[in-house]
Amino acid sequence: ANRDKMTDIFHHYYLKRYIDSLIENDVPFSLIMFDIDHFKKVNDTYGHQTGDIVLKKFVDILKKNLRLDKSDVLGRYGGEEFLVILVNKNKKIAFNMGERVRKITDKTTLTAVNGKKFSINISGGVSTYPMDNKEGFGIIGACDIALYNAKHNGRNQIYIYNGGTK
């Protein structure tokens, strides 16, 4: 009940509850929110079956390259957005992890259902509790703002939250 059916990682309801429990216990953490750039174009060009393949492959890249500790959590936040909760890890560590995933994703070749090869890019945002916000929705919002800035400024990059707003 806590997992996304397609990707078999945690879903956003679980992620929010986990963040709330960390905040309740005043445990520092960082977030990375990833979004697959131009995902709609993948679905429009290659079909939704290929879109599903992309989502599963990206989760595979995340699992293999994030090097998560037992207390860290990976989940699907929505459509093509993924959230990583890194317990007791600072912004620099989160940024470096996000960059590693971005670079690996950028070099990965995928195969559409029709056999055509293509690649994807991702954008990401990073925020840290309690530095950037002390509330659950606020810290997720800060991460979302960083992600928005990464997308707004050209995509295929990871941005750290800097206190700005959309």
Side-chain angles (χ1 to χ4, degrees):
N2 289 325
R3 294 192 175 268
D4 175 69
K5 289 180 182 175
M6 182 188 313
T7 59
D8 195 37
I9 58 176
F10 291 108
H11 57 61
H12 68 279
Y13 298 113
Y14 178 84
L15 297 170
K16 289 176 185 175
R17 287 194 312 267
Y18 189 63
I19 287 169
D20 288 342
S21 72
L22 292 172
I23 291 171
E24 189 175 298
N25 292 297
D26 203 28
V27 177
F29 62 91
S30 290
L31 300 176
I32 312 170
M33 187 177 290
F34 292 105
D35 186 83
I36 299 172
D37 294 335
H38 304 292
F39 186 71
K40 183 182 179 329
K41 184 177 177 186
V42 170
N43 281 332
D44 291 349
T45 303
Y46 302 107
H48 290 277
Q49 287 179 314
T50 297
D52 292 349
I53 291 168
V54 168
L55 295 172
K56 292 174 187 174
K57 179 61 179 176
F58 183 60
V59 167
D60 193 43
I61 290 170
L62 289 168
K63 287 179 177 179
K64 288 180 180 174
N65 295 285
L66 281 173
R67 301 179 193 134
L68 298 176
D69 294 336
K70 280 196 298 188
S71 57
D72 298 336
V73 172
L74 165 63
R76 186 172 177 195
Y77 194 71
E80 70 275 10
E81 287 186 337
F82 298 86
L83 188 68
V84 185
I85 304 168
L86 303 167
V87 178
N88 290 311
K89 292 182 180 70
N90 65 34
K91 212 174 269 194
K92 182 177 181 181
I93 291 169
F95 174 80
N96 289 338
M97 291 173 82
E99 265 297 294
R100 180 172 54 247
V101 168
R102 186 192 64 77
K103 288 175 182 175
I104 290 165
T105 303
D106 198 39
K107 294 177 184 175
T108 301
T109 301
L110 299 153
T111 305
V113 173
N114 65 8
K116 292 196 176 186
K117 305 283 185 194
F118 67 101
S119 61
I120 59 168
N121 303 111
I122 59 168
S123 297
V126 172
S127 65
T128 301
Y129 170 85
M131 185 186 329
D132 295 327
N133 199 292
K134 294 185 177 167
E135 296 179 8
F137 281 113
I139 195 65
I140 294 169
C143 198
D144 192 42
I145 288 167
L147 172 60
Y148 171 83
N149 288 331
K151 291 182 124 356
H152 182 72
N153 290 302
R155 302 181 193 266
N156 194 23
Q157 54 194 323
I158 307 297
Y159 261 57
I160 294 174
Y161 178 73
N162 65 4
T165 59
K166 283 188 187 177

